[in-house]
Amino acid sequence: MRPMISILLAVLSLFLSMFGPAYGRYTLDQNLSIERKNVSAEELYETATILAMNVSKELSDVSFDLSGASVMPYDYNELKEKVNAAFEKYASSVDYVSHFKSNPKPIALSEIMTYTHISGVYTFMTGESNINTNYPDFLRPFTMAHEMAHQRGIAREDEANFVAFLVCIGSDDAYLRYSGYTNMINYMLSAISKADMTLYA
């Protein structure tokens, strides 16, 4: 029992010293000078509609297979380069994200990890981003940007999601923009379904 408690305390100490301080930095709404407030179901619906229109604009540059799933037009290493380039572009426009090149790693046991519904993991002890490569293509750019946001000190999950969205839609690459918009639509649809099932339908 004591060894287990010692291990848990060691992990907690590492977390508090290595990643915990990131929770004390300015929040994303403060960094972006926007107001964090509750929104209505109608506002969620309007936002989802705008996102859907933006997805439509990207469709001519996105390929799909016979099942209707989008196909990422490059391999994993090329994806890393494109997300790094998108992050560098975004970091040049804000003052709260660091400039550095990241090397997100594919998870060896991605297929098994898929059963946990986890698309990526940030390992705070090593500072590494780890990506589940068994997920659908359209999720991977957004997931990679999300985990890379954690590397840059964006600790909260909702804030890492929003930074990933901003990084993806600001990219020069159509598939990254498509990934950003479609992932955010999924979050919007989930929120609308909880707020108003008629609007969701």
Side-chain angles (χ1 to χ4, degrees):
M1 188 66 173
R2 285 183 180 177
M4 182 61 71
I5 292 173
S6 298
I7 291 170
L8 290 173
L9 288 174
V11 170
L12 180 62
S13 296
L14 284 171
F15 175 79
L16 291 175
S17 62
M18 299 177 78
F19 194 55
Y23 286 92
R25 65 182 293 178
Y26 285 143
T27 57
L28 189 59
D29 51 303
Q30 291 173 308
N31 283 319
L32 294 174
S33 298
I34 58 177
E35 182 183 359
R36 184 186 288 260
K37 62 179 182 178
N38 293 326
V39 295
S40 67
E42 289 74 18
E43 288 172 311
L44 291 170
Y45 178 82
E46 289 170 11
T47 303
T49 302
I50 293 168
L51 291 168
M53 288 189 295
N54 280 287
V55 168
S56 296
K57 292 176 185 176
E58 305 297 342
L59 291 180
S60 60
D61 295 314
V62 176
S63 298
F64 297 86
D65 63 22
L66 294 176
S67 72
S70 67
V71 178
M72 190 164 57
Y74 31 74
D75 63 22
Y76 185 85
N77 287 325
E78 290 174 296
L79 173 61
K80 286 194 297 188
E81 293 302 317
K82 290 182 180 296
V83 178
N84 268 299
F87 241 112
E88 182 58 30
K89 182 180 178 182
Y90 182 70
S92 298
S93 67
V94 298
D95 61 0
Y96 64 90
V97 174
S98 302
H99 294 263
F100 65 87
K101 191 171 183 179
S102 179
N103 185 30
K105 296 183 176 179
I107 295 170
L109 300 175
S110 287
E111 188 171 348
I112 295 172
M113 189 175 181
T114 303
Y115 291 101
T116 67
H117 299 283
I118 296 173
S119 59
V121 175
Y122 173 65
T123 308
F124 66 87
M125 290 177 283
T126 60
E128 293 175 326
S129 296
N130 304 278
I131 311 301
N132 182 339
T133 57
N134 193 51
Y135 261 57
D137 284 1
F138 82 95
L139 287 167
R140 288 188 221 164
F142 185 85
T143 297
M144 190 174 285
H146 172 103
E147 302 306 334
M148 287 168 66
H150 284 320
Q151 283 184 306
R152 287 155 176 78
I154 309 298
R156 296 172 180 85
E157 287 297 306
D158 59 340
E159 295 187 0
N161 276 337
F162 198 64
V163 168
F165 169 70
L166 295 174
V167 167
C168 286
I169 67 169
S171 170
D172 296 326
D173 182 80
Y175 197 75
L176 260 68
R177 295 194 299 271
Y178 173 79
S179 176
Y181 286 124
T182 52
N183 277 275
M184 192 54 68
I185 281 179
N186 283 337
Y187 286 110
M188 288 293 108
L189 290 175
S190 176
I192 294 168
S193 71
K194 294 172 185 172
D196 189 319
M197 282 302 296
T198 302
L199 281 178
Y200 174 72

